[in-house]
Amino acid sequence: MSNRIITINRMFGSNGRVIGKTLAEELGIKFYDKELIDLASQEKNIPFDEFAKVDERKASQWRFPIDHEIQMDPEFHFIPMNDVLYDVQRKIIMSLADKEDCVIVGRCANHILKDKTLSVFIYAPFEDRVKNVITRTGREEKSVRKLVKRMDKERRAYYEYFTDQRWLDLNQYNLCIDSSRFTREQIVHMLKETL
């Protein structure tokens, strides 16, 4: 690896994003998560909000994912916006890996970069993830339980659609960490030690 690239896939509520951001800050390198939507938005001249609606989601086979005149543009008319976003983000991820050290969260980056990255999967038991999301959002438990299940389902469908790999096949990751068993600081320390 010429540049230090760390990709983090995560279960919803496992604090994978927070761990990735903390790691990037401690290493003094760039962090990319929703920032990839912004870069794609600038490149394709499509509003951030429209791309955010389809981020890390597989396209529906029954309808276009956004109700916007952009989807009717001849360039995008026959391509779901989910696919447009994935393709642009894939190009951006490959470009970033060539030019700088960074932490990239989600968006199939571990698959896109394959052997160029330290690939990490952050997970935790369902109950711990529910507690994390309640703490972070203040939502009621019943709503959070549905949200955690839905987000995991969406992430799995997205990952498996674009990679033809099983999201929970831990063999494709260099390191898998149960975030309920360690503090954020301990996990960041472990990740720093592997670089």
Side-chain angles (χ1 to χ4, degrees), residues 2-192:
S2 54
N3 290 321
R4 290 182 301 174
I5 312 296
I6 301 99
T7 57
I8 298 178
N9 276 1
R10 72 281 183 230
M11 288 182 158
F12 188 73
S14 65
N15 290 326
R17 181 186 193 288
V18 175
I19 290 164
K21 189 163 181 63
T22 304
L23 176 64
E25 288 170 359
E26 288 197 17
L27 292 173
I29 63 178
K30 295 278 184 105
F31 173 77
Y32 295 98
D33 183 11
K34 301 253 183 247
E35 295 78 1
L36 291 169
I37 304 171
D38 191 43
L39 292 171
S41 172
Q42 293 170 31
E43 185 166 321
K44 283 292 186 182
N45 199 25
I46 293 175
F48 177 92
D49 292 342
E50 296 304 323
F51 267 159
K53 290 177 189 175
V54 298
D55 185 43
E56 291 195 285
R57 287 185 176 86
K58 176 185 150 191
S60 167
Q61 60 185 352
W62 305 111
R63 64 180 177 85
F64 282 128
I66 61 173
D67 296 322
H68 196 278
E69 66 271 3
I70 292 171
Q71 192 69 71
M72 295 300 113
D73 184 293
E75 181 181 357
F76 306 118
H77 188 65
F78 297 105
I79 305 170
M81 201 54 58
N82 310 64
D83 293 21
V84 172
L85 178 60
Y86 175 79
D87 190 51
V88 175
Q89 285 182 334
R90 182 181 58 78
K91 291 173 185 168
I92 291 168
I93 287 167
M94 291 187 323
S95 172
L96 292 171
D98 285 339
K99 68 181 182 182
E100 65 187 19
D101 295 346
C102 60
V103 174
I104 303 171
V105 174
R107 290 150 192 94
C108 306
N110 70 306
H111 181 77
I112 293 166
L113 298 176
K114 294 195 192 229
D115 298 327
K116 297 180 182 178
T117 177
L118 171 64
S119 175
V120 179
F121 188 76
I122 306 289
Y123 65 98
F126 181 76
E127 294 301 325
D128 289 290
R129 294 185 294 127
V130 167
K131 288 176 192 170
N132 289 339
V133 176
I134 290 171
T135 301
R136 188 171 67 222
T137 65
R139 292 172 68 163
E140 63 181 48
E141 184 176 343
K142 184 177 180 182
S143 164
V144 169
R145 286 180 172 282
K146 288 180 183 177
L147 177 64
V148 170
K149 288 177 184 176
R150 181 175 55 87
M151 291 301 294
D152 279 349
K153 184 177 178 182
E154 286 179 5
R155 286 180 180 172
R156 181 178 59 251
Y158 168 83
Y159 187 85
E160 292 178 359
Y161 176 76
F162 284 108
T163 67
D164 287 329
Q165 302 289 320
R166 305 291 295 167
W167 185 53
L168 294 178
D169 177 5
L170 303 183
N171 291 321
Q172 64 188 319
Y173 305 105
N174 302 119
L175 189 59
C176 301
I177 301 173
D178 179 349
S179 63
S180 70
R181 300 185 60 122
F182 306 97
T183 66
R184 181 187 329 161
E185 293 74 21
Q186 289 172 323
I187 294 171
V188 169
H189 178 73
M190 281 189 271
L191 294 174
K192 285 166 65 175

